Amino acid sequence: MIGKLDDYLRFNEAALSLRSQRQQLLASNIANADTPNFKARDIDFASALQASLARTAPPAGQLAATSPAHLAGVQNGDLLPDGTQVQYRNVAQGAVDGNTVDMDVERNQFADNAVRYEAGITMINHQIRSLMAAIQGGQ
């Protein structure tokens, strides 16, 4: 029963988790817009979601912790905590100081990701409401 519930909610849970991690990456890009030699980073959301849904075991290199108080270990800067590969954004127009952050692109991506995150929350809330209606007899 729990496995079926987990399967039912898995897609939106994985999508929300990836959206949250992507939002942090985009916020980091915006925060470092004036940092010399900073390279803008992002993830390929579609392939990361497919990999997350196909994954049954913890990603390689991630320690299995039995308590949230356990230390996560050393993080690789090119991998998100779930094992998703971080990519560097292609430069449309380079800066003299080597920074590759384009604020227009970052703001657009940040707003787009935020709207999609909100849509994901709405969808998972709808799923939970449907489950509650089924459990309680469809009131």
Side-chain angles (χ1 to χ4, degrees):
M1 178 73 177
I2 295 296
K4 289 183 180 182
L5 289 175
D6 189 38
D7 289 344
Y8 181 66
L9 298 172
R10 188 168 177 207
F11 176 81
N12 283 323
E13 184 273 335
L16 283 176
S17 176
L18 280 172
R19 291 267 175 226
S20 171
Q21 293 174 36
R22 184 171 185 232
Q23 199 75 354
Q24 291 177 3
L25 268 178
L26 295 171
S28 172
N29 289 346
I30 291 171
N32 288 294
D34 293 330
T35 304
N37 296 319
F38 182 82
K39 308 296 181 211
R41 303 180 317 160
D42 201 354
I43 60 172
D44 180 4
F45 185 81
S47 63
L49 182 60
Q50 286 178 344
S52 178
L53 292 174
R55 192 177 303 134
T56 56
Q62 184 176 359
L63 297 175
T66 55
S67 168
H70 291 166
L71 296 177
V74 177
Q75 294 287 326
N76 182 349
D78 291 337
L79 293 176
L80 294 179
D82 69 347
T84 302
Q85 181 71 39
V86 176
Q87 301 170 341
Y88 291 96
R89 196 180 300 277
N90 291 332
V91 180
Q93 182 174 0
V96 175
D97 63 357
N99 188 308
T100 63
V101 175
D102 182 347
M103 285 301 288
D104 292 333
V105 170
E106 299 304 328
R107 280 190 213 118
N108 279 338
Q109 293 295 321
F110 190 87
D112 179 69
N113 196 56
V115 168
R116 291 176 190 265
Y117 183 85
E118 289 292 327
I121 288 175
T122 301
M123 285 190 270
I124 204 164
N125 280 338
H126 180 71
Q127 280 185 310
I128 292 171
R129 260 190 248 120
S130 297
L131 280 173
M132 292 300 292
I135 291 170
Q136 295 173 347
Q139 301 174 9

